[in-house]
Amino acid sequence: MDSTKPSLSSKALHLTSGGGNESPMEEGSVLRRDSMDGERQRDGDSRETDVADGTTAAAEINHHHKGSADKHKFNTLGYQRRTKQKVVTDFATLSKGTSAAAKPRAALRQVLFSQGVSDKNPASEERGQLDVLKHTLQTFRVPVSLKWRWKEESEGTTLEKNWTDIVESHSTMSKMQKHQQEALWEFVHTELTYINKLIIIKDLVIAALVILHQHGFLLEVTPELLFSNLPSILSAHQLFWQEVTYPMLQEVRRTGKPFDPVRLEAGCLQFHERFPSYKHYCWEEENNLEFTRWQMESNPHFSTYVQWVETHPQCERMRLGDMQAKPHQRITKYPLLLKAVLKTTQDPHVQHILRGMLSSVNSFLESINDYLKLKDEELALSISAQRVEGYEVEGINEEIDKHVREICQFDLTCPIRGVGPGFVRKLLLEENLKIRDRKDGKMCF
């Protein structure tokens, strides 16, 4: 592309269903970083949650978030995303300095203020606003429990500690059968854990931001700019739990028989219909990360809000960047979970069913890749189209000019005549064109 680039920084974006070290019973990340491999490993659970109020804590959080956008580049089945040149509006309205002519006036005002005209100054006003913002967050009433409760589970979402607590024949199983049950239990356990993480984001992080809006703070920071359509993803997974995962769990609780992976077949074959909201989330995630980083660097109110969120005990030590990465980490983990079940399954019929489930899930990830690729191409074409002007043709009279003018409108983004809607224009190459004057008076490119 040419040198005229929008404000959004270039990043390579991928989704992958590939491997990685994942600890059992935890929400593992299958994220592959393109440029951060081996750098800045997060100390995670060992980090202390008691961060003191003040410049030291704010600086530490700001330092963490500077690398947040670079940290969460991700992969799906090998799609190498091109440089994203998404046109975004400026996220900040803060000026970066004053003119030289304004300095004497500022000095004069300072002298007048020191003589008793006014005892207010911007620094004290800013501190006062921060104090009010902190007080608003401290008085925000967080729900006592952020664990999901659904109608079939009146006592809450407490799972058994292990699958052996409900499978009666666990002591007589072979080693391979036990590994299969452990893989299926991880599918169940991590699904509910993921739902509860999203509920924390929705009912604590987003809800606190809405409360700040009601008090006039952070009006420029909307939930969509931080988490896109995350609430719709939460709703989709709650429905998936109630219709697919929970019935399998209840069957084991009721009968004491081992988990049957076939009970997951219908749900895994419906990923395209159940989780279309992931396409929009993955497309907007890069903007969400960039917006967050910009606000952390330029907005002290936002930094204070993030500090409160990340040190809140009910956030379970999650960083804001970790919250934003949860959806794509989860959707790319399903192939790994199904492969673990397939690897430990001995019945040929069940193996065939599991391969079909795995193929369907991988097909869904490929559709996300295709969507991201299409949006990239549309974006690159629209940027180029804005720089390509139409042409004028002088007709015989005004009536003819009217019809000719309609034909002379050159729009690269309009549908291609004579072909179906599936055919779109793609930008193959765009470079600067240099014109040189030759000694013989001719120009060459």
Side-chain angles (χ1 to χ4, degrees):
M1 303 298 290
D2 65 3
S3 59
T4 305
K5 294 185 179 179
S7 59
L8 186 57
S9 62
S10 302
K11 299 187 182 72
L13 190 62
H14 317 277
L15 288 163
T16 187
S17 60
N21 295 328
E22 300 208 16
S23 58
M25 303 307 181
E26 282 188 26
E27 189 67 29
S29 169
V30 292
L31 193 61
R32 286 188 177 179
R33 277 69 173 182
D34 293 308
S35 62
M36 299 299 294
D37 186 20
E39 297 183 13
R40 294 198 301 268
Q41 293 185 351
R42 185 170 60 86
D43 52 352
D45 293 341
S46 63
R47 183 181 295 276
E48 294 291 338
T49 60
D50 298 325
V51 180
D53 255 350
T55 56
T56 303
E60 188 276 330
I61 291 176
N62 191 26
H63 173 74
H64 170 85
H65 286 280
K66 281 185 178 180
S68 179
D70 294 329
K71 185 179 177 182
H72 294 296
K73 303 172 186 175
F74 55 94
N75 290 306
T76 66
L77 297 165
Y79 161 49
Q80 178 73 24
R81 191 170 185 181
R82 297 183 310 185
T83 300
K84 186 175 179 182
Q85 299 193 52
K86 194 164 187 180
V87 179
V88 293
T89 57
D90 289 337
F91 297 132
T93 57
L94 301 176
S95 61
K96 294 186 177 181
T98 57
S99 64
K103 291 182 179 179
R105 299 180 183 178
L108 178 59
R109 284 196 298 268
Q110 185 176 1
V111 172
L112 293 175
F113 292 157
S114 65
Q115 292 176 350
V117 177
S118 173
D119 58 354
K120 293 184 179 180
N121 60 74
S124 63
E125 290 181 358
E126 178 67 21
R127 285 195 297 269
Q129 290 180 356
L130 283 175
D131 290 340
V132 175
L133 186 148
K134 291 177 182 178
H135 178 73
T136 303
L137 290 172
Q138 290 169 358
T139 56
F140 170 61
R141 299 183 62 181
V142 181
V144 176
S145 175
L146 293 174
K147 303 295 183 181
W148 185 38
R149 294 177 179 270
W150 64 96
K151 59 182 180 180
E152 295 89 352
E153 193 87 348
S154 58
E155 296 181 359
T157 60
T158 302
L159 285 179
E160 291 78 5
K161 293 183 178 180
N162 205 316
W163 62 274
T164 56
D165 296 337
I166 52 178
V167 177
E168 296 175 355
S169 59
H170 66 90
S171 59
T172 60
M173 285 183 173
S174 65
K175 185 177 181 180
M176 185 70 74
Q177 288 174 326
K178 289 181 179 179
H179 287 167
Q180 183 202 48
Q181 294 300 297
E182 289 171 356
L184 287 167
W185 180 252
E186 184 177 4
F187 189 106
V188 174
H189 181 272
T190 55
E191 183 69 18
L192 185 57
T193 300
Y194 174 60
I195 291 174
N196 285 331
K197 297 285 187 183
L198 297 189
I199 289 177
I200 291 174
I201 298 172
K202 176 177 174 287
D203 292 347
L204 194 158
V205 183
I206 295 179
L209 181 60
V210 172
I211 291 296
L212 291 179
H213 287 176
Q214 295 174 0
H215 289 77
F217 293 107
L218 295 178
L219 298 179
E220 69 280 10
V221 181
T222 66
E224 292 75 21
L225 288 174
L226 294 181
F227 298 106
S228 186
N229 61 335
L230 184 141
S232 64
I233 291 178
L234 171 59
S235 299
H237 278 274
Q238 288 175 326
L239 189 62
F240 182 77
W241 173 267
Q242 290 181 300
E243 296 180 351
V244 180
T245 312
Y246 183 72
M248 179 182 69
L249 174 63
Q250 278 298 85
E251 180 69 16
V252 177
R253 285 175 171 175
R254 185 177 62 84
T255 63
K257 295 181 179 180
F259 285 92
D260 183 6
V262 178
R263 297 295 298 268
L264 298 173
E265 180 184 16
C268 291
L269 295 180
Q270 297 169 346
F271 263 47
H272 288 272
E273 294 78 20
R274 288 183 175 274
F275 302 122
S277 51
Y278 273 97
K279 294 181 179 180
H280 180 74
Y281 188 91
C282 290
W283 171 249
E284 291 295 336
E285 184 177 12
E286 188 176 357
N287 271 351
N288 296 149
L289 294 172
E290 185 72 14
F291 175 79
T292 301
R293 183 169 62 177
W294 184 278
Q295 289 293 320
M296 286 298 300
E297 294 174 351
S298 62
N299 192 339
H301 288 186
F302 184 77
S303 299
T304 302
Y305 161 70
V306 173
Q307 179 183 348
W308 177 85
V309 165
E310 294 183 347
T311 57
H312 197 284
Q314 288 182 265
C315 278
E316 301 177 357
R317 295 194 290 269
M318 285 192 295
R319 297 286 189 177
L320 183 59
D322 299 333
M323 300 177 192
Q324 293 170 317
K326 285 293 178 186
H328 80 248
Q329 289 177 352
R330 180 60 188 178
I331 198 62
T332 55
K333 188 175 182 179
Y334 285 108
L336 298 175
L337 295 170
L338 292 176
K339 284 178 182 178
V341 177
L342 176 60
K343 184 178 179 180
T344 56
T345 298
Q346 297 174 307
D347 189 328
H349 176 67
V350 179
Q351 287 179 347
H352 177 73
I353 293 176
L354 284 169
R355 289 191 182 96
M357 296 159 58
L358 184 59
S359 176
S360 176
V361 173
N362 281 331
S363 174
F364 175 67
L365 293 182
E366 290 174 357
S367 72
I368 296 179
N369 280 333
D370 293 339
Y371 179 80
L372 297 179
K373 184 177 180 180
L374 177 62
K375 296 293 288 184
D376 271 339
E377 291 171 348
E378 289 179 351
L379 181 60
L381 189 64
S382 65
I383 293 174
S384 297
Q386 293 173 10
R387 297 194 293 269
V388 178
E389 300 178 354
Y391 53 94
E392 297 182 2
V393 178
E394 295 183 1
I396 300 175
N397 55 49
E398 185 177 344
E399 185 65 23
I400 294 179
D401 285 347
K402 177 182 177 181
H403 295 286
V404 172
R405 195 175 299 114
E406 296 176 358
I407 302 174
C408 293
Q409 296 299 321
F410 187 68
D411 185 3
L412 289 172
T413 61
C414 68
I416 304 175
R417 295 183 180 181
V419 296
F423 294 87
V424 295
R425 295 181 181 89
K426 298 180 181 180
L427 180 66
L428 300 180
L429 178 65
E430 182 178 352
E431 291 288 348
N432 292 329
L433 188 63
K434 296 181 179 179
I435 303 178
R436 295 180 180 177
D437 292 328
R438 294 171 52 176
K439 294 181 179 180
D440 56 5
K442 298 181 180 180
M443 291 188 302
C444 64
F445 296 104

